């Protein structure tokens, strides 16, 4: 079974210059995976933060499942990202540098049926950098 779930954050490529990328698992509850499989998620406003040396994604909108009933999940709750301690330490050291942030790029389901989030450490682009990327895109 090949999954067709591939939700991208198109705005991120325009706003940030990527330094390093990682693929993280997401800790989901209840009907969230069913909504993701129906492509009912939005990561354009999402961002990642560290809370007690653990990485969480905020503002990741996963719509409520239609057939969920009273067991439905909250659409914009904070979700924990699952990474190795070595990767977390690497990300934390890079984020402590001035101007770096963690941006979700892509939400997908891998071959084993697990939801994964591709995150990147990025530095915000200046206005002239954005103009350069528009020129390259047009050419």
């Amino acid at each position: 079974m090949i999954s067709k779930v591939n939700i991208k954050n198109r705005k991120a490529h325009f706003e940030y210059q990527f330094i390093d990328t990682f693929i993280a698992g997401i800790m989901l509850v209840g009907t969230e995976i069913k909504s993701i499989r129906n492509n009912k998620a939005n990561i354009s406003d999402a961002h990642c933060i560290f809370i007690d040396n653990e990485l969480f994604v905020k503002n990741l909108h996963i719509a409520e499942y239609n057939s969920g009933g009273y067991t439905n999940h909250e659409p914009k709750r904070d979700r924990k990202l699952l990474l190795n301690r070595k990767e977390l330490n690497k990300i934390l050291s890079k984020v402590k540098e001035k101007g770096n942030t963690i941006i979700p790029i892509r939400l997908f389901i891998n071959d084993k049926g697990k939801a994964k989030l591709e995150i990147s450490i990025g530095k915000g682009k200046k206005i002239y950098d954005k103009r350069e990327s528009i020129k390259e895109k047009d050419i």
Side-chain angles (χ1 to χ4, degrees), residues 117-134:
L117 186 68
E118 186 176 346
I119 58 173
S120 179
I121 299 169
K123 194 175 203 93
K125 285 185 182 179
K126 305 283 187 223
I127 293 173
Y128 54 85
D129 291 336
K130 292 178 185 178
R131 282 192 232 128
E132 284 295 321
S133 59
I134 289 171

Side-chain angles (χ1 to χ4, degrees), residues 1-26:
M1 181 181 101
I2 297 174
S3 174
K4 295 191 182 348
V5 176
N6 191 13
I7 302 163
K8 293 183 181 178
N9 186 354
R10 293 185 185 140
K11 193 167 63 169
H13 290 286
F14 185 69
E15 297 285 332
Y16 298 97
Q17 175 183 359
F18 300 133
I19 298 169
D20 206 356
T21 57
F22 299 91
I23 294 179
I26 311 172

Side-chain angles (χ1 to χ4, degrees), residues 47-97:
H47 63 281
C48 300
I49 61 165
F50 274 95
I51 301 173
D52 296 330
N53 287 329
E54 292 180 341
L55 191 60
F56 288 86
V57 62
K58 285 185 164 273
N59 283 342
L60 172 63
H61 184 272
I62 299 175
E64 290 187 354
Y65 186 59
N66 292 337
S67 305
Y70 71 94
T71 60
N72 256 340
H73 61 276
E74 188 180 324
K76 282 203 170 191
R77 72 177 187 85
D78 297 347
R79 294 168 180 91
K80 184 177 176 182
L81 296 181
L82 306 172
L83 288 160
N84 295 336
R85 177 57 46 197
K86 189 176 173 183
E87 290 174 326
L88 285 172
N89 291 338
K90 186 175 180 182
I91 292 171
L92 186 59
S93 67
K94 293 217 180 193
V95 169
K96 285 185 178 176
E97 295 174 20

